[in-house]
Amino acid sequence: MIPRIAFTPGEPAGIGPELAVKVAQKGSNAQIVAITDPQLLMDTAETLGLPLKLLPLSADASSISTPPGSLYLLPTALEVPARPGELDTANAAYVLKTLSVATDGCLQGHFDALVTGPVHKGVINDAGTPFSGHTEFFAEKAGAERVVMMLATEGLRVALVTTHLPLKDVSTAISSTLLEQVIKILNTSLQDLFRIPSPRISVCGLNPHAGEGGYLGREEIEIIEPTLSQLRSQGIILNGPLPADTLFTPPHLTECDAVLAMYHDQGLPVLKFKGFGHAVNITLGLPFIRTSVDHGTALNIAGTGSAQIGSLHAAIQHAVTLAKLRNT
């Protein structure tokens, strides 16, 4: 099987186009289909001094992999020419269109997985479209009741109960219902996508020292522990709630297949310290496979030729592997 992978480079003024051209040099054992403006890619390739051949996409080409120096193309035009490092609200519509085309293609079975480059949330919102991130966008498009954001690198997977929330809103957002939904999606995804028969999940407490017996917060006592106990009775293997400052140490990590953090900056700084540039963002709970880079648009280096492709290459490899597992 040669998987067909949709790829959206993301914000055209960021490093996404450069990453696309650079990762194309490696080729792939899958069919990588860039959903973007062809002139943007060709101009970027010329600036970088790298060869690039854009291959037409056809219905009977699904068994053909991607040769080095090439990408398959599903053309989507920019609204206005893009300049590296210079955001333009006019191109927010282009970014959203690439995401919509990719999502529709996945839902219709034209693609086996989706890989996304970095987008800039601010410029999309400035253009008048409320946008909190890829994860929420795909959930709404796919009609998924709940999705889970998980990042993975060598030796560590971290999933999140809440994602892009101000810290002051995290405590009130965490409920037994939310926690149960997230844990069930995480457990099922580890079984179905990663082929782990009995996943072991370690759960962070919300408060310092996991609440210190209620002296530093009662969410662990009133919400987290009762929910974990209920889910353990259903056969899910859960350890916690544990203090986050000691959970992310080798003795604990060797005993789990994934860590569940309560909020974005509780779990992701540790993961990115361990694997930044090679980590992958995976959205769980969607009806299709979606992976992404672990970094942003890097406007400050856009157009300089210095962007590193490690995370994008890892995201593509994860997408290919997961697509093959799903189809076996």
Side-chain angles (χ1 to χ4, degrees):
M1 174 204 171
I2 304 292
R4 177 178 278 184
I5 310 296
F7 167 46
T8 56
E11 168 55 48
I15 59 173
E18 178 180 332
L19 296 177
V21 173
K22 287 183 174 179
V23 83
Q25 306 308 307
K26 288 181 169 289
S28 177
N29 59 348
Q31 188 178 84
I32 309 302
V33 182
I35 303 173
T36 186
D37 190 300
Q39 194 60 52
L40 174 64
L41 290 186
M42 296 309 297
D43 289 346
T44 303
E46 182 178 359
T47 298
L48 296 173
L50 293 174
L52 182 65
K53 184 176 182 180
L54 299 178
L55 306 173
L57 187 63
S58 60
D60 60 354
S62 59
S63 63
I64 304 172
S65 59
T66 308
S70 303
L71 287 170
Y72 287 89
L73 178 72
L74 187 54
T76 304
L78 288 165
E79 298 294 328
V80 296
R83 296 177 181 274
E86 299 180 18
L87 294 172
D88 193 326
T89 55
N91 277 326
Y94 151 83
V95 172
L96 293 174
K97 185 176 181 181
T98 65
L99 300 182
S100 292
V101 169
T103 306
D104 292 342
C106 288
L107 293 174
Q108 294 164 12
H110 301 315
F111 301 117
D112 297 295
L114 167 60
V115 176
T116 57
V119 298
H120 194 284
K121 301 179 185 69
V123 74
I124 297 174
N125 281 280
D126 288 344
T129 300
F131 183 85
S132 57
H134 278 114
T135 304
E136 296 81 2
F137 178 90
F138 294 134
E140 182 177 352
K141 282 280 291 181
E145 179 181 357
R146 176 73 59 193
V147 296
V148 175
M149 181 178 176
M150 183 178 82
L151 269 75
T153 190
E154 184 69 29
L156 181 61
R157 302 182 186 95
V158 177
L160 303 178
V161 177
T162 63
T163 54
H164 301 115
L165 279 182
L167 191 57
K168 65 182 179 63
D169 297 333
V170 170
S171 178
T172 53
I174 294 174
S175 64
S176 295
T177 298
L178 174 62
L179 197 55
E180 180 178 352
Q181 290 175 335
V182 168
I183 290 174
K184 285 184 174 180
I185 290 171
L186 175 57
N187 186 67
T188 299
S189 297
L190 291 170
Q191 292 173 328
D192 295 347
L193 285 179
F194 294 89
R195 297 296 195 264
I196 302 172
S198 300
R200 302 164 302 165
I201 301 170
S202 290
V203 181
C204 295
L206 172 65
N207 297 295
H209 301 179
E212 194 76 60
Y215 289 100
L216 296 178
R218 296 194 57 82
E219 287 86 356
E220 288 78 10
I221 294 173
E222 297 175 358
I223 299 172
I224 300 174
E225 177 53 42
T227 305
L228 300 189
S229 295
Q230 178 185 346
L231 293 172
R232 288 189 192 103
S233 70
Q234 300 174 25
I236 300 177
I237 302 172
L238 299 165
N239 187 22
L242 298 170
D245 62 345
T246 54
L247 193 163
F248 289 101
T249 56
H252 285 294
L253 294 181
T254 56
E255 297 177 356
C256 71
D257 299 298
V259 173
L260 182 63
M262 291 293 133
Y263 57 93
H264 189 281
D265 281 12
Q266 182 183 56
L268 297 194
V270 181
L271 184 133
K272 292 190 178 185
F273 177 78
K274 180 177 175 60
F276 188 71
H278 301 279
V280 179
N281 186 344
I282 306 169
T283 305
L284 310 178
L286 290 171
F288 55 85
I289 295 165
R290 180 260 171 164
T291 68
S292 184
V293 296
D294 68 347
H295 56 75
T297 54
L299 295 169
N300 59 314
I301 63 169
T304 66
S306 59
Q308 301 297 309
I309 66 167
S311 183
L312 177 57
H313 181 64
I316 291 173
Q317 291 303 106
H318 266 76
V320 172
T321 299
L322 294 176
K324 287 183 175 180
L325 284 173
R326 174 165 282 184
N327 287 288
T328 56

